[in-house]
Amino acid sequence: MTSAVPAATAHLAELNVAKLLYPLDDPRVAPFVEMLDPVNASADSAPGFVWRLVGDGADDATELRPAGENVIVNLSVWESPEALWDFTYRSGHLEVMRGRRDWFARHVEAHLVLWWVPAGHVPSVEEALERLGELRANGPSPRAFTFASTYSAAEAAEHLEGTRG
Amino acid sequence: MEDTEDTQGTGPAHGGRDPGDIDAIAALQDPVRRRLYEYVAGQGREVGRNEAAEAAGVARTLAAHHLDKLTEVGLLESGSRRLTGRSGPGAGRPAKVYTRIRAERAVSLPARDYRTAAELLAEAAEEAGLDAGLCAAARRRGASLRGSEAPCAGLDEAFATLAARGYEPHVERADDDGTGAPVVRMRNCPFHAVAERFPPLVCGMNLALLEGLLGTDGPVRARMDARPDECCVVVEEA
């Protein structure tokens, strides 16, 4: 299912943001915090996983708050949309998703964005937040899209040049 | 790894009715063909002609004819593979193998479109964050479908219940080496199309329905353990 295409020239980057209802050390968020390590470990070994953002000396990115004091971010790179889909919704991660209403505020704006990057490119948080901003401002495009409106790497290719850097 | 409201699937999502649906369903009227279809569908893997013929108790050439007919009407898909597992010269000619297609077939006359209704309701529930209310309703429905005060009595009964509801259960062992406690996994998600578009919402609903159906304080329990191409839930001894 996950495409092990040799020498892929493009990888899929993903950012999602989640607004915490309570601080991370609050007992009401404990079930989420307990799942962080095992779920992150399963991401690292998932088919098609390439890279994910972690804080300095940390195993996850929960300490980074580039999008607001109570907003945690998740930034990762995958070989294909299918690989990301299978990890997100067809692995132990689904159990985290199931509890989302207990821990996170409901979003009014888009809070997940996908975009293609050249293989080997590590997206910066700034770049990721820019893409989310684009999606929120303009809706899905080859530069910033969602699972509901996925663009192929080929369709997005003409936009790839702009992300090098 | 957190909240994701925009969760429409990458899988096939087509709401329209294929005019071939009636032909497809009609093709199953032949009892041999139906046995072959049910056998292939039940295996969850590629099945060769010899194996299918043996399972259906018919000659290989007849099985081949019917399997190709089932492929033609879009109920199975076929490919070719060397069943010996060898490759290169001397490995033999590739054999034709069959698997069930993932797309759905539905017939209602006149046409009714419950898929769109389900997707719209799911979309509204997702936007409003109604997971808890949906799961409560699903749990109640499951309990009422069980039709008895007693929870499901064991894995065998759970297996039969799940099979009757179209989950296509099969038994695996908890450990990879084939030992360990038996667990019931399911090859089919009855809510597949909507689950692909709203996974946390609909998979949560499915788990709650199964918890209601099997009972939560009996000898078996349902738990979420999602895998690619399977139902998100596994049933095991509590």
Side-chain angles (χ1 to χ4, degrees), chain B residues 139-172:
Chain B
R139 208 168 278 115
R140 285 196 302 272
R141 172 63 68 93
S144 90
L145 288 171
R146 189 167 83 233
S148 138
E149 289 302 307
C152 177
L155 274 190
D156 287 346
E157 187 184 321
F159 190 98
T161 302
L162 295 168
R165 303 218 68 83
Y167 282 91
E168 298 189 351
H170 63 282
V171 175
E172 285 184 14

Side-chain angles (χ1 to χ4, degrees), chain B residues 57-143:
Chain B
V58 296
R60 183 180 181 283
T61 46
L62 183 64
H65 164 76
H66 284 308
L67 288 165
D68 286 336
K69 182 69 187 176
L70 288 164
T71 305
E72 199 179 294
V73 298
L75 288 169
L76 298 179
E77 57 189 10
S78 66
S80 63
R81 186 164 55 86
R82 287 193 169 89
L83 294 173
T84 56
R86 288 177 290 152
S87 60
R93 210 159 60 87
K96 205 159 180 186
V97 291
Y98 302 83
T99 50
R100 180 182 56 176
I101 61 153
R102 296 301 303 177
E104 288 172 21
R105 295 290 182 186
V107 170
S108 57
L109 297 170
R112 300 197 171 95
D113 187 6
Y114 301 116
R115 160 96 62 97
T116 300
E119 285 178 355
L120 289 172
L121 289 166
E123 188 174 330
E126 177 77 42
E127 280 172 10
L130 301 180
D131 298 50
L134 176 63
C135 287
R139 208 168 278 115
R140 285 196 302 272
R141 172 63 68 93

Side-chain angles (χ1 to χ4, degrees), chain A residues 4-49:
Chain A
V5 181
T9 55
H11 284 165
L12 186 77
E14 176 267 353
L15 168 77
N16 68 293
V17 298
K19 188 187 264 183
L20 285 163
L21 290 174
Y22 320 102
L24 269 189
D25 56 3
D26 188 295
R28 285 169 289 189
V29 195
F32 168 70
V33 174
E34 279 164 24
M35 279 192 273
L36 274 170
D37 281 351
V39 169
N40 282 328
S42 85
D44 294 346
S45 62
F49 170 82

Side-chain angles (χ1 to χ4, degrees), chain A residues 97-154:
Chain A
M97 305 286 306
R98 198 168 65 93
R100 67 211 157 124
R101 306 291 181 204
D102 296 337
W103 312 313
F104 307 117
R106 197 162 54 79
H107 289 267
V108 181
E109 288 186 293
H111 59 282
L112 175 143
V113 64
L114 309 173
W115 71 104
W116 291 100
V117 297
H121 173 75
V122 173
S124 68
V125 172
E126 294 71 31
E127 171 189 340
L129 290 172
E130 241 175 67
R131 298 295 173 134
L132 184 62
E134 284 190 30
L135 176 67
R136 285 176 172 175
N138 309 321
S141 77
R143 285 183 50 83
F145 50 90
T146 68
F147 276 123
S149 53
T150 306
Y151 290 83
S152 72

